[in-house]
Amino acid sequence: MNKSFDKLRCGLWNCSLLRGRMRALLAGIFISILIVQGAGCSSESRPQATEKIKLSFRHVWIQEHNAQMLKIVSEVIKQFELDHPNVRVDFEGLDQTVHREQRLKSEMVTGNPPDIFVLFSGAEIEPYARAGRLLDLSGFLKENSMDDGFYDLSLWRFGSGVYGLPIEGFVEPVYYNKQLFAELGLSVPTNWDQLVQVITRLKAAGLVPFSLGNQERWPGAMHYHYFLQRFAGSAVIDQIVKGKGSFMNADYEQATERFLEFAKLSPFPTMSDTRSIDYAEKLFLDGKAGMFLSGSWELNLFQGENSTPGFADKVGVFNFPVLSGPKEASVGLARGYTFGLGLSANLEGERRRAALDLVKAIYAPDVQRRIVYESFRLPAMKIAVDYHRTGPVFKQIVDLLEASPTAFVPYDNALPPALQEPFFQVAEQLIAGNVSAQEALQRLEAQLQQYYELIGK
């Protein structure tokens, strides 16, 4: 019995020992599992290393009058990158003509435009939208309750889509130096004869009548489209845009003949075709030119923190004079909402979401108000604006808009892309007196017919 007891005791001891070892083994395994799980939880709690989303964004705000606009958008991008650390935005500036007439057209052909880029609406977006190169933003507008947030999106629509958004409104008035006019006893010209008189008197006083830097050619074309509109109204250009019109008509011929008379008065600085826009701005700011036909985008040069103190009080604005007999639309003011941003249709997934989030940040009401108050741009969105804060010249622009019975879209926005460069070239040649009215219109007509043949109209 004692032996049996000893065996049992020994067996129990061995079992106990075995159980102890088993417990130790199981405990070790359990601890190992906890360590592994803990390591896993720790890994999940730390931010995962993700690949950077890179967005390319091309702008044209490289000149002095665009300095505030560049500052505002740059700051929005900087804050966006801080709020979205996985996104990097390559913000690149390029000359407007190079971007619009060369780079973007080429990129649209190859299907490789920047992700976000400055875009002009109207006829310019039609071939890009038709080719599927632009991202349709109609869904974006609905999702963010922005369908009715803009003053005018008509020139950004193609079919059922919206292929870009205006970032500012603009108007193209004649700025004039009120002090110089007063010293010479001049009044604002309202017709052709008065315009000739003002040009003659300013030249006699050793001043440049109209400041112009036409190196990029579109500034000179602004003068020419006013002449065409003053004689023909908007009916002819509307028909051309619809694919049913022609440059060979009596009104355009009379307008072009009158434009040649205007050019013979030498109203511009010498060698204006080689002068930059900056040169034209400085000529007017220095009081060496009596008038300056340009856009409301120039306002921050006349007023604001970087402007010449007191210069804003010298600046007045007026609509381009009537040049022909009475016509319903012959006093139209060039204006529109044609300058904005477009997005590439190549954007997909996270990159598309990031690009749209950045666009949403730029079009936030507070940012849009900064564009009005700091860069003195007319708002494209229906936001509350206190025009007492916008300065004296801005208020004159608003008053001019309210007083103008009609308006027209500038020709470089209305014409198809294939006609823009020929239009600029013809205007430049007319200013230089190197082409007759008939020849100028024939050149435009030839380009127009080629375009109609290309698109099947």
Side-chain angles (χ1 to χ4, degrees):
M1 186 160 179
N2 289 336
K3 288 183 181 179
S4 297
F5 176 79
D6 288 341
K7 283 183 180 179
L8 177 62
R9 187 176 61 177
C10 182
L12 289 172
W13 185 88
N14 288 335
C15 286
S16 176
L17 182 61
L18 180 63
R19 288 192 192 100
R21 289 175 179 173
M22 184 63 71
R23 287 193 192 101
L25 178 62
L26 291 173
I29 293 172
F30 182 66
I31 291 170
S32 297
I33 290 171
L34 288 177
I35 291 172
V36 171
Q37 287 179 337
C41 291
S42 176
S43 175
E44 288 173 3
S45 66
R46 290 196 303 266
Q48 296 293 312
T50 58
E51 185 178 350
K52 281 269 189 182
I53 295 173
K54 298 178 183 179
L55 296 174
S56 55
F57 187 155
R58 184 186 300 152
H59 66 87
V60 296
W61 298 303
I62 63 173
Q63 292 165 328
E64 186 180 352
H65 65 258
N66 286 318
Q68 285 300 112
M69 196 69 181
L70 177 63
K71 178 176 181 287
I72 293 167
V73 179
S74 295
E75 289 176 358
V76 172
I77 291 173
K78 184 177 179 180
Q79 184 61 50
F80 182 82
E81 290 180 324
L82 290 174
D83 295 338
H84 301 77
N86 66 317
V87 180
R88 191 183 77 189
V89 182
D90 181 12
F91 193 45
E92 172 202 19
L94 192 64
D95 173 82
Q96 177 177 301
T97 300
V98 175
H99 163 68
R100 188 179 179 188
E101 300 298 326
Q102 299 172 27
R103 290 277 291 277
L104 190 60
K105 285 182 178 179
S106 174
E107 290 161 343
M108 287 297 182
V109 170
T110 60
N112 190 36
D115 297 319
I116 307 171
F117 48 90
V118 161
L119 184 65
F120 290 81
S121 66
E124 191 158 330
I125 70 170
E126 181 176 343
Y128 302 156
R130 193 186 298 276
R133 304 300 195 214
L134 297 173
L135 184 64
D136 180 4
L137 298 176
S138 54
F140 167 80
L141 292 174
K142 289 181 181 179
E143 290 168 12
N144 294 282
S145 302
M146 296 168 67
D147 298 71
D148 193 41
F150 293 83
Y151 284 113
D152 187 1
L153 289 178
S154 61
L155 293 177
W156 295 92
R157 298 185 186 278
F158 179 75
S160 61
V162 178
Y163 294 97
L165 299 173
I167 198 168
E168 64 183 69
F170 71 92
V171 60
E172 296 177 355
V174 179
Y175 299 102
Y176 74 104
N177 189 312
K178 293 189 292 185
Q179 180 176 309
L180 292 179
F181 270 54
E183 291 173 355
L184 296 173
L186 298 174
S187 300
V188 169
T190 59
N191 58 42
W192 169 249
D193 291 336
Q194 292 174 8
L195 180 62
V196 171
Q197 183 182 23
V198 168
I199 290 172
T200 303
R201 293 279 296 279
L202 286 169
K203 288 185 66 177
L207 298 166
V208 174
F210 279 95
S211 190
L212 177 67
N214 204 33
Q215 192 175 57
E216 297 182 34
R217 293 196 290 277
W218 60 264
M222 289 171 62
H223 292 79
Y224 185 38
H225 76 195
Y226 263 116
F227 277 75
L228 296 177
Q229 197 279 337
R230 291 296 184 259
F231 278 83
S234 298
V236 176
I237 187 64
D238 288 346
Q239 289 299 306
I240 287 173
V241 172
K242 293 175 182 177
K244 304 174 182 178
S246 170
F247 283 99
M248 304 305 296
N249 64 80
D251 286 337
Y252 271 4
E253 188 167 353
Q254 290 177 26
T256 307
E257 291 285 3
R258 180 57 58 86
F259 189 66
L260 282 171
E261 291 180 46
F262 174 71
K264 287 178 182 177
L265 295 171
S266 300
F268 303 124
T270 57
M271 300 177 66
S272 62
D273 59 326
T274 65
R275 309 287 193 181
S276 68
I277 296 170
D278 291 340
Y279 169 85
E281 293 167 345
K282 189 173 188 306
L283 198 68
F284 184 69
L285 290 168
D286 288 347
K288 296 179 181 178
M291 297 175 286
F292 183 28
L293 172 59
S294 193
S296 52
W297 54 81
E298 301 281 4
L299 280 171
N300 58 36
L301 292 180
F302 308 145
Q303 56 183 52
E305 59 183 27
N306 296 321
S307 63
T308 303
F311 187 78
D313 296 328
K314 299 178 183 179
V315 179
V317 300
F318 64 89
N319 194 4
F320 205 85
V322 175
L323 302 172
S324 63
K327 281 182 179 289
E328 183 181 351
S330 63
V331 294
L333 181 66
R335 63 169 299 186
Y337 299 93
T338 60
F339 178 85
L341 300 178
L343 283 79
S344 169
N346 295 335
L347 287 165
E348 294 180 344
E350 291 297 324
R351 297 185 69 254
R352 176 184 290 198
R353 279 188 283 275
L356 290 174
D357 284 346
L358 176 55
V359 169
K360 184 178 179 180
I362 293 172
Y363 285 88
D366 287 347
V367 175
Q368 292 296 303
R369 272 188 281 273
R370 285 191 65 191
I371 290 173
V372 174
Y373 294 139
E374 297 175 29
S375 195
F376 303 109
R377 307 299 170 100
L378 294 172
M381 300 185 74
K382 299 174 184 177
I383 54 174
V385 175
D386 180 3
Y387 287 107
H388 292 97
R389 292 178 53 187
T390 57
V393 188
F394 196 110
K395 184 62 167 62
Q396 290 184 72
I397 292 285
V398 173
D399 292 342
L400 181 63
L401 280 168
E402 293 177 349
S404 300
T406 59
F408 70 99
V409 178
Y411 274 39
D412 63 331
N413 296 134
L415 289 170
L419 271 295
Q420 289 167 0
E421 188 62 23
F423 184 74
F424 295 159
Q425 292 173 354
V426 162
E428 180 184 36
Q429 291 163 352
L430 287 167
I431 290 171
N434 293 334
V435 65
S436 69
Q438 189 75 7
E439 289 170 338
L441 294 173
Q442 285 174 348
R443 292 181 186 181
L444 290 173
E445 183 67 15
Q447 294 291 330
L448 179 63
Q449 294 306 319
Q450 286 182 22
Y451 173 71
Y452 283 167
E453 184 177 348
L454 181 66
I455 63 173
K457 288 187 178 181

